Amino acid sequence: MSLLLVWITCVPCVSMTPIIGQSKSTQTGGSAAAASGLGEGQRLLSRAKRGWVWNQMFVLEEFSGPDPILVGRLHTDLDVGNKNIKYVLAGEGAGTIFAINELTGDIHAMKRLDREEKAEYTLTAQVINADTDEPLEPPSEFIIKVQDINDNPPQFIEGPYRASVPEMSAVGTPVTRVTATDADDPVYGNSAKLVYSILEGQPYFSVDPNSATIKIALHGMDREMREEYLVVIQAKDMGGHMGGLSGTTTVTVTLTDINDNPPKFSKSLYEFVIPEDLPIGKMGGKVKANDRDIGENAKSTYSIIEGDDQGVFEIITDSQTQEGMLRLKKPLDYESKRAYTLKVEATNIRSEPSSGGPFKDTATVKIVVEDSDEPPVFSKPMYLLEVNENAPINTVLGTVTARDPGLYWEPCQVREWIYFIDRHTDLERQFNINVDDGKITLAKPLDRETDMWHNITVTATEVRNHSQISRAIVAIRVMDINDNAPEFASEYEAFLCENGKPGQVIQTVSAVDKDDPIQGHYFDYRLVPEMLNNPNFTIKNNQDNSISVLAKHDTFRRQKQEMYFLPIIVTDNGNPPMSSTNTLTIRVCGCSKDGIVQSCNVEAYVLPIGLSMGALIAILACIILLLVIVVLFVTLRRHKNEPLIIKDDEDVRENIIRYDDEGGGEEDTEAFDIATLQNPDGINGYLPRKDIKPDLQFMPRAGQHSGPNGVDVDEFINVRLHEADNDPTAPPYDSIQIYGYEGRGSIAGSLSSLETASSDSDQNYDYLREWGPRFRRLGELYSVGESDRET
C-alpha cells in the first residue's frame, strides 16, 4: 500500500471549490501549461493561485490574504470508507502555517506565505489508526516551495547620496554610482531585474540604466554660476516594463572649485597720503585683488614690480582678508621726495596645468608724502673733540650744528631750536654749551689721569615744540701734558749683607709716570748732588728705564749703622721735563754664607745665638704679666684707702645691722633717725678723718656724768662724736657705733588711751599744749573726747 500525494490546481474562480486532481502520473504534463499562464493570472486576480507537484515537491506562490488556501490532498489505498484511519502532518510549519484534515487528508495554508522570510518547508505525512494511533503506513516526506511574486519594490539602502565633481568637467565624466536592491527572487522571472532612470537633474546629468553611474551631461558647468545640483534617480523592477515596482533616491552633486578665474583689482589706481614720520614697519595703505575662486585657488601674493628702486616700501598679504598691505621699509623724507608711483601685481598662488601659468593682475599705487613737523637733524650723529688737560676754564672745545630738514624745501619758513647738554651724561657739569650756536666750552679743569674720555649727549629742541628733539653723542678726548713727575714703581726696601762683596747689586729700581707721552717714557736717574761722592753706594743705568744700586765696599756692620737712606732723582723726557726725589731705604742684615738674609736688627745680633725666638717671646710675656699684676695691686690699694661718703638720700638702715641684745625689732629701728649720727662737719663738706696719728696726744675717754635727772641725749651724742673725731684709733664716723645709754622715762607718763573710756578721772590735758604744736593737737583731741563723754 502507498500514500498518494495529490496536488490541487486552482483555476480562476470567484469561490474556491475543491476539484479532485489527476493521478500522480498524469500531473507532470500540465505543469508547463500552468506555468505559462502564471504571470497573466496573477495580474488578473491577486487571490487566484496555482500549484503543481514535481518529484515530491509542491510549489506554491506566496500570497497575502485572510482565507486558507488548499495546498494538496493526501490519499491512501486503505481509505475505502474505513472510518478508523487518520491523516497526520509533521515538520516545518505543521499545525501553524499548514493544517491537514484528519479525515480527508486535505492540506491548507493557514497563514500568509512570504518567500523573503522562508522559501521552502519540509513536511512529513503519515496515516495512522484513529483508535490506537498506530502507523498504518511508513511516513512520506515532501517539500513545499514558496514561489516568488513581484511584491517588493527596489530600495536605495545607502541614500540619499552626496557627490562632488570639479567644475568645467567634460561630458561623460563619472560623478558617482548609486545602488538599489530588490528583495524578490533574482533567478525567477524579472521581479528583481532593475532598470535606472533620471527623474530630475537634466540636462546637467545622466545615468546609466544598468550600472546606475551618474555622469556629466552638459559641457562647461561653472561653479561660479551654480555650485550645487539635486538629482533624482529611479530604479524600476520587471526590467522597466509596465506594472513593475519602483524606488527613488536623491543625489546632491556639488561642483568643486578649480582655479579658472584670475585675481582682479577692484580699482586700477590707488592713492594714499602717508606722513613722512610714519614709523618703519607701519602700514601706509591696502590694496585688494578679488578672485571668484575659493580656498587655495583664490589666494594671491602681492609684489611691487615698478617704481620703488630704493626699496622704501614692501607689500605683504593678509592671510585672513587676502589684502595687500603696503608698509614702510625705510623712513620717508618729505624734503627729499614727495611722491611715489608704484606698480603692484597680484598673482595666484596655485595654477591649473591647463591654464598655461598662474593668473595675474596689476594696479597702480600713487603715494603722496605728507610733510610733518620734524626735529632738527645734527650734521653728524657723533662728534669727536680733543682738549688738553691743562686747558683753562671757558675754552671752546668745538661746535655742534643741527639743521631743520624742512628748510631745504621751504626757505621762507624759519624754525628755531636750542641746544642743551643732557646732564645725566655730565653729572659733574664739566662742560657747558651755548644754547644758540652749539659751542661747547670747558666749565671745570680736566685731569687726563682721572678721566681720559668724556662722553656727553647734546640735544637740539625746537623752541615752539619741545617734543621735537634730536640727540647727538659728543666724545671728548683729554690730551695728555707732562704734568706728573716720575716716581719709584713701588716703595723699595733693599737689604745688604754684611759679608757682601764690593760691586754687588743691592736693588734694581724702576720708575713709573702717570703721563702718557706719544714717544714713550724715558727716565734719567741720578743721585742728589750731596750724595755724588757717596762712599757706600753707587748706581748703574740698565738702559731699560731702570737702574741697579751697587755697594762700594764690604765693611758694612749692623753695630756701626743698621740703616742707610739713598735719595735718587728721577727725571722724565717731557716738555718741560718733570722730576722727583725718591729715597731708597737700605738695611744691613746678617746673611748666611750663601747670601740668604737671616736677621736685620741690632738686638738680634747682640743676643746669644742659642736663644731662639720662641724663648724671647715667652720671656716678654712673663714680664708683661708681672707688670699687669703690679698695676692691679696698686689700683686696688688706692680704691681701698678712698673715703666712703654716705649720700644724703641713703639710709644706713638699709644695711645689715647686727645687735648683740634683743630689742623691740622694728620699734627700735624706727625710734629715731639714724642720719642724725652723721658727722655734722662731714655734711658741710669737711671730713675730719684721722687716717694718720694726730698731732695731739690721745686723751683718755671721760666717764659718763649724769645729773640729777640724767644726761641729755643731744649732749651725750655730741660728746661721743667729739671723742670719736679726735681719736685716731676710733672707727670712721660712718661706721655703726653702739651707745650704752637707754634714756629716761617721759614726764608725761603713758599716752595710751586704752583705759580712758572706763576711767572716771577728770584728768586735764591742757598741759600738753605747752609741749609744742604736735602735742597741742593731741591735747585738743583728748579734751574733745572728755567733753563728748560728759555729754
mmCIF file of all heavy atoms in Angstrom, residues 155-162 176-181 248-251:
data_model
loop_
_atom_site.group_PDB
_atom_site.id
_atom_site.type_symbol
_atom_site.label_atom_id
_atom_site.label_comp_id
_atom_site.label_asym_id
_atom_site.label_seq_id
_atom_site.Cartn_x
_atom_site.Cartn_y
_atom_site.Cartn_z
ATOM 1 N N GLN A 155 14.849 49.332 -3.451
ATOM 2 C CA GLN A 155 15.179 50.270 -2.363
ATOM 3 C C GLN A 155 16.661 50.672 -2.467
ATOM 4 O O GLN A 155 17.531 49.838 -2.744
ATOM 5 C CB GLN A 155 14.920 49.641 -0.994
ATOM 6 C CG GLN A 155 13.468 49.361 -0.705
ATOM 7 C CD GLN A 155 13.259 48.784 0.684
ATOM 8 O OE1 GLN A 155 14.222 48.461 1.373
ATOM 9 N NE2 GLN A 155 11.996 48.648 1.074
ATOM 10 N N PHE A 156 16.885 51.982 -2.205
ATOM 11 C CA PHE A 156 18.264 52.517 -2.134
ATOM 12 C C PHE A 156 18.649 52.585 -0.653
ATOM 13 O O PHE A 156 18.279 53.529 0.064
ATOM 14 C CB PHE A 156 18.336 53.905 -2.771
ATOM 15 C CG PHE A 156 18.131 53.899 -4.257
ATOM 16 C CD1 PHE A 156 16.857 54.043 -4.805
ATOM 17 C CD2 PHE A 156 19.208 53.723 -5.116
ATOM 18 C CE1 PHE A 156 16.670 54.035 -6.170
ATOM 19 C CE2 PHE A 156 19.030 53.721 -6.493
ATOM 20 C CZ PHE A 156 17.755 53.869 -7.019
ATOM 21 N N ILE A 157 19.354 51.584 -0.204
ATOM 22 C CA ILE A 157 19.677 51.480 1.228
ATOM 23 C C ILE A 157 20.615 52.605 1.667
ATOM 24 O O ILE A 157 20.494 53.149 2.758
ATOM 25 C CB ILE A 157 20.305 50.102 1.536
ATOM 26 C CG1 ILE A 157 19.381 48.985 1.054
ATOM 27 C CG2 ILE A 157 20.577 49.963 3.024
ATOM 28 C CD1 ILE A 157 17.999 48.998 1.688
ATOM 29 N N GLU A 158 21.557 53.013 0.836
ATOM 30 C CA GLU A 158 22.584 53.991 1.223
ATOM 31 C C GLU A 158 22.190 55.440 0.929
ATOM 32 O O GLU A 158 22.967 56.340 1.208
ATOM 33 C CB GLU A 158 23.897 53.675 0.500
ATOM 34 C CG GLU A 158 24.455 52.309 0.828
ATOM 35 C CD GLU A 158 25.704 52.005 0.023
ATOM 36 O OE1 GLU A 158 26.083 52.861 -0.806
ATOM 37 O OE2 GLU A 158 26.305 50.947 0.232
ATOM 38 N N GLY A 159 21.023 55.642 0.359
ATOM 39 C CA GLY A 159 20.622 57.006 0.015
ATOM 40 C C GLY A 159 20.147 57.781 1.229
ATOM 41 O O GLY A 159 19.918 57.212 2.309
ATOM 42 N N PRO A 160 20.007 59.111 1.144
ATOM 43 C CA PRO A 160 20.375 59.921 -0.030
ATOM 44 C C PRO A 160 21.889 60.086 -0.154
ATOM 45 O O PRO A 160 22.621 59.954 0.807
ATOM 46 C CB PRO A 160 19.694 61.258 0.234
ATOM 47 C CG PRO A 160 19.594 61.338 1.715
ATOM 48 C CD PRO A 160 19.406 59.942 2.210
ATOM 49 N N TYR A 161 22.311 60.421 -1.380
ATOM 50 C CA TYR A 161 23.737 60.450 -1.696
ATOM 51 C C TYR A 161 24.217 61.894 -1.853
ATOM 52 O O TYR A 161 23.442 62.796 -2.179
ATOM 53 C CB TYR A 161 24.009 59.690 -3.003
ATOM 54 C CG TYR A 161 23.695 58.215 -2.926
ATOM 55 C CD1 TYR A 161 22.401 57.757 -3.184
ATOM 56 C CD2 TYR A 161 24.677 57.283 -2.639
ATOM 57 C CE1 TYR A 161 22.109 56.396 -3.134
ATOM 58 C CE2 TYR A 161 24.391 55.923 -2.588
ATOM 59 C CZ TYR A 161 23.093 55.487 -2.844
ATOM 60 O OH TYR A 161 22.809 54.145 -2.793
ATOM 61 N N ARG A 162 25.542 62.068 -1.587
ATOM 62 C CA ARG A 162 26.214 63.329 -1.877
ATOM 63 C C ARG A 162 27.466 63.019 -2.691
ATOM 64 O O ARG A 162 28.195 62.074 -2.385
ATOM 65 C CB ARG A 162 26.607 64.079 -0.610
ATOM 66 C CG ARG A 162 25.439 64.499 0.261
ATOM 67 C CD ARG A 162 25.875 65.495 1.311
ATOM 68 N NE ARG A 162 26.288 66.753 0.742
ATOM 69 C CZ ARG A 162 25.471 67.769 0.477
ATOM 70 N NH1 ARG A 162 24.172 67.666 0.743
ATOM 71 N NH2 ARG A 162 25.935 68.899 -0.056
ATOM 72 N N THR A 176 29.209 59.783 -9.642
ATOM 73 C CA THR A 176 29.098 58.790 -8.587
ATOM 74 C C THR A 176 28.229 57.647 -9.104
ATOM 75 O O THR A 176 27.675 57.707 -10.220
ATOM 76 C CB THR A 176 28.499 59.402 -7.306
ATOM 77 O OG1 THR A 176 28.548 58.436 -6.259
ATOM 78 C CG2 THR A 176 27.049 59.797 -7.511
ATOM 79 N N ARG A 177 28.089 56.617 -8.302
ATOM 80 C CA ARG A 177 27.265 55.454 -8.651
ATOM 81 C C ARG A 177 26.347 55.157 -7.482
ATOM 82 O O ARG A 177 26.796 55.147 -6.332
ATOM 83 C CB ARG A 177 28.139 54.246 -8.964
ATOM 84 C CG ARG A 177 27.344 53.005 -9.347
ATOM 85 C CD ARG A 177 28.285 51.845 -9.621
ATOM 86 N NE ARG A 177 27.519 50.635 -9.949
ATOM 87 C CZ ARG A 177 28.066 49.436 -10.178
ATOM 88 N NH1 ARG A 177 29.383 49.301 -10.097
ATOM 89 N NH2 ARG A 177 27.306 48.389 -10.486
ATOM 90 N N VAL A 178 25.066 54.896 -7.815
ATOM 91 C CA VAL A 178 24.091 54.549 -6.787
ATOM 92 C C VAL A 178 23.730 53.080 -6.944
ATOM 93 O O VAL A 178 23.890 52.489 -8.023
ATOM 94 C CB VAL A 178 22.836 55.438 -6.889
ATOM 95 C CG1 VAL A 178 23.190 56.887 -6.646
ATOM 96 C CG2 VAL A 178 22.167 55.285 -8.246
ATOM 97 N N THR A 179 23.233 52.498 -5.882
ATOM 98 C CA THR A 179 22.905 51.070 -5.887
ATOM 99 C C THR A 179 21.563 50.865 -5.195
ATOM 100 O O THR A 179 21.365 51.350 -4.076
ATOM 101 C CB THR A 179 23.992 50.259 -5.163
ATOM 102 O OG1 THR A 179 25.240 50.493 -5.799
ATOM 103 C CG2 THR A 179 23.664 48.775 -5.212
ATOM 104 N N ALA A 180 20.658 50.141 -5.897
ATOM 105 C CA ALA A 180 19.360 49.778 -5.332
ATOM 106 C C ALA A 180 19.290 48.257 -5.201
ATOM 107 O O ALA A 180 19.914 47.509 -5.956
ATOM 108 C CB ALA A 180 18.218 50.288 -6.209
ATOM 109 N N THR A 181 18.528 47.781 -4.248
ATOM 110 C CA THR A 181 18.347 46.340 -4.015
ATOM 111 C C THR A 181 16.860 46.010 -4.074
ATOM 112 O O THR A 181 16.000 46.848 -3.746
ATOM 113 C CB THR A 181 18.918 45.939 -2.649
ATOM 114 O OG1 THR A 181 18.267 46.682 -1.629
ATOM 115 C CG2 THR A 181 20.411 46.221 -2.584
ATOM 116 N N THR A 248 12.995 55.438 -5.509
ATOM 117 C CA THR A 248 13.798 56.601 -5.907
ATOM 118 C C THR A 248 14.766 57.000 -4.784
ATOM 119 O O THR A 248 14.571 56.650 -3.617
ATOM 120 C CB THR A 248 12.900 57.811 -6.233
ATOM 121 O OG1 THR A 248 12.144 58.138 -5.080
ATOM 122 C CG2 THR A 248 11.980 57.497 -7.411
ATOM 123 N N THR A 249 15.779 57.751 -5.177
ATOM 124 C CA THR A 249 16.722 58.345 -4.233
ATOM 125 C C THR A 249 17.204 59.671 -4.797
ATOM 126 O O THR A 249 17.012 59.954 -5.998
ATOM 127 C CB THR A 249 17.914 57.413 -3.982
ATOM 128 O OG1 THR A 249 18.713 57.949 -2.922
ATOM 129 C CG2 THR A 249 18.794 57.272 -5.203
ATOM 130 N N THR A 250 17.815 60.496 -3.918
ATOM 131 C CA THR A 250 18.345 61.799 -4.345
ATOM 132 C C THR A 250 19.862 61.805 -4.235
ATOM 133 O O THR A 250 20.441 61.210 -3.318
ATOM 134 C CB THR A 250 17.767 62.938 -3.490
ATOM 135 O OG1 THR A 250 18.122 62.720 -2.124
ATOM 136 C CG2 THR A 250 16.257 63.003 -3.625
ATOM 137 N N VAL A 251 20.464 62.510 -5.148
ATOM 138 C CA VAL A 251 21.924 62.687 -5.156
ATOM 139 C C VAL A 251 22.192 64.187 -5.246
ATOM 140 O O VAL A 251 21.775 64.839 -6.210
ATOM 141 C CB VAL A 251 22.583 61.948 -6.327
ATOM 142 C CG1 VAL A 251 24.092 62.140 -6.287
ATOM 143 C CG2 VAL A 251 22.225 60.477 -6.309
#
